[in-house]
Amino acid sequence: MKTKKTMKTCLLAAVLCVVALTSCGDSDLADAMIGRWQGEFEATDDDGATSEQSLAFDFTTSDDIMDGGKFTEQRTETFTFEDEGLVMTCTATANITGEWEVLMGDLKLTYDLSSLDVTIDDIDARLSSDADDIAREAFADAQDAGMFDADDEENRQMAYEELRAQYQADNDEDTYYSDLKVEGGVLSFDTGDFGRVELHRITD
């Protein structure tokens, strides 16, 4: 009977020790994250469309969030795709705020969707060399209608809805970025879509 009690005591002590060490590690990571970070990376989706992204985060502390705080994110994303003779590249910039937290060595970001602001930086559209007459006629009509103009509100709204859906999905899926590390001015973590992402400190 005494042996069982001793084993339970030892097990409880071990669990408490692990929790304490993890909490200490989270606090160290959170402290090291404060500041501004930037990085660039590229991905290809299942349809073969490429996406290049430039990410900038500004992490600050908050009294009501343990091992975390508030953040602002600026994401500049360039999409390139080809469809029936049309080759189109669109670059959009999203600015959004939210809350961040380090939990068990992972990074949790929660986006404030109401803060999202999106602008179109550039749209480049052209026809591929093998485009047929129908594609050429449709392209000319689209140009005349201003469908490839960066300042067209409909294009901005389309980009806004696309990016908002991405942020909404991250919130809904309770996304965590695993294996968070801060080493030598480099912040890195694992993502599902882009593999391991590295961000470099640009200000303290």
Side-chain angles (χ1 to χ4, degrees), residues 14-176:
V15 170
L16 290 174
C17 182
V18 170
V19 171
L21 288 173
T22 303
S23 177
C24 180
D26 287 350
S27 295
D28 290 343
L29 280 171
D31 289 343
M33 286 179 59
I34 304 303
R36 188 165 174 81
W37 305 82
Q38 188 173 35
E40 297 179 354
F41 43 94
E42 180 179 300
T44 303
D45 65 18
D46 296 336
D47 297 327
T50 60
S51 173
E52 296 179 358
Q53 287 192 22
S54 174
L55 268 180
F57 285 100
D58 191 358
F59 294 104
T60 60
T61 58
S62 177
D63 292 337
D64 58 345
I65 302 176
M66 182 179 293
D67 300 330
K70 310 288 186 180
F71 74 89
T72 60
E73 175 189 311
Q74 183 177 81
R75 177 194 300 189
T76 299
E77 188 165 359
T78 300
F79 308 90
T80 300
F81 66 90
E82 182 172 352
D83 182 38
E84 296 183 357
L86 172 65
V87 181
M88 185 170 174
T89 300
C90 176
T91 301
T93 296
N95 289 279
I96 193 168
T97 63
E99 296 181 345
W100 66 278
E101 188 175 5
V102 180
L103 294 169
M104 303 290 286
D106 296 337
L107 175 61
K108 171 73 171 121
L109 300 178
T110 303
Y111 293 98
D112 176 7
L113 299 179
S114 67
S115 70
L116 177 61
D117 179 66
V118 176
T119 58
I120 300 293
D121 303 317
D122 181 61
I123 294 178
D124 178 39
R126 60 183 176 82
L127 288 171
S128 61
S129 57
D130 59 349
D132 58 23
D133 291 340
I134 295 176
R136 294 180 186 281
E137 184 177 343
F139 181 78
D141 290 342
Q143 278 186 315
D144 292 342
M147 293 179 62
F148 304 133
D149 294 344
D151 57 355
D152 182 72
E153 176 57 25
E154 186 173 339
N155 287 331
R156 192 202 70 81
Q157 187 63 30
M158 288 174 60
Y160 173 88
E161 291 174 0
E162 173 70 23
L163 289 163
R164 190 182 193 283
Q166 293 179 27
Y167 289 124
Q168 181 72 66
D170 284 343
N171 282 353
D172 291 345
E173 295 167 9
D174 210 25
T175 303
Y176 286 80

